[in-house]
Amino acid sequence: MPVRSTSEIARVAMFAALIGLSALVTVPFIGPVPFTLQPLVVLLAGMILGPRLGPTSVLVYLLLGLVAPVYAGGQAGIGVLIGPTGGYLVGFVVAASVTGLVARSGSPSLARFATAGLAGLVPVYVLGATWLALHLQIDSVWGVLAAGVLQFVPLDAVKALLAAGLACALVSSPLGLPSPDRLR
């Protein structure tokens, strides 16, 4: 996923920083997975940066987290990536890609961005819950769904819709951001 210009480097760095900042908003939930604002920014990165730069910004964030305390709750290091929340973090990379692909599949609209955001949540839940089940040795499907998915769905859906609204506002603003249909 090569970055081709100074403008792209700046946008990737900005979203990596925003993901790190959104990780600082942490509310403990039942189990080891906290509530954060990260999904909102990851989905927005996919919508705004697209299927190439969106995941790149998440990868930059993940690499930064190996040495700096930018993971949820100000944590850092490889232990977070291999811990119970590691699957969700890896899922963010796939989510940004999926969100970017769906957002770019037609003309930009609130409905398109909302669909992209909701579709982007699927890999986060699949990879996150699978890794959580393996890490905690949970063999009950309902147990892993309760601990790692169901409690997050309502608020994550709101985050996806909020990201869609922000994406619509940003692509129609005079900021000079490229419209999704021009980034194909």
Side-chain angles (χ1 to χ4, degrees):
M1 293 180 242
V3 179
R4 299 180 188 144
S5 69
T6 305
S7 171
E8 288 184 349
I9 291 170
R11 286 184 276 152
V12 165
M14 180 187 69
F15 271 96
L18 288 173
I19 296 167
L21 288 173
S22 69
L24 297 177
V25 178
T26 305
V27 177
F29 267 36
I30 298 168
V33 182
F35 166 86
T36 71
L37 293 180
Q38 289 170 292
L40 175 111
V41 180
V42 167
L43 298 173
L44 185 61
M47 292 173 199
I48 297 297
L49 299 180
R52 181 176 62 87
L53 296 180
T56 302
S57 69
V58 178
L59 287 170
V60 168
Y61 161 74
L62 292 178
L63 290 172
L64 181 61
L66 294 175
V67 295
V70 296
Y71 293 143
Q75 297 181 52
I78 191 74
V80 178
L81 287 179
I82 61 174
T85 60
Y88 296 94
L89 294 170
V90 172
F92 288 162
V93 177
V94 181
S97 181
V98 167
T99 302
L101 286 169
V102 175
R104 301 292 194 265
S105 66
S107 59
S109 67
L110 181 60
R112 167 94 40 224
F113 288 135
T115 302
L118 294 172
L121 291 175
V122 173
V124 174
Y125 292 144
V126 170
L127 293 171
T130 301
W131 180 255
L132 184 66
L134 293 171
H135 190 269
L136 299 180
Q137 300 176 349
I138 301 172
D139 56 3
S140 161
V141 171
W142 288 111
V144 76
L145 285 175
V149 176
L150 297 177
Q151 63 182 338
F152 297 101
V153 170
L155 290 174
D156 283 349
V158 169
K159 289 181 234 177
L161 297 175
L162 183 56
L166 288 169
C168 273
L170 287 170
V171 299
S172 64
S173 74
L175 294 175
L177 291 173
S179 176
D181 56 347
R182 293 188 304 229
L183 290 177
R184 291 190 182 158

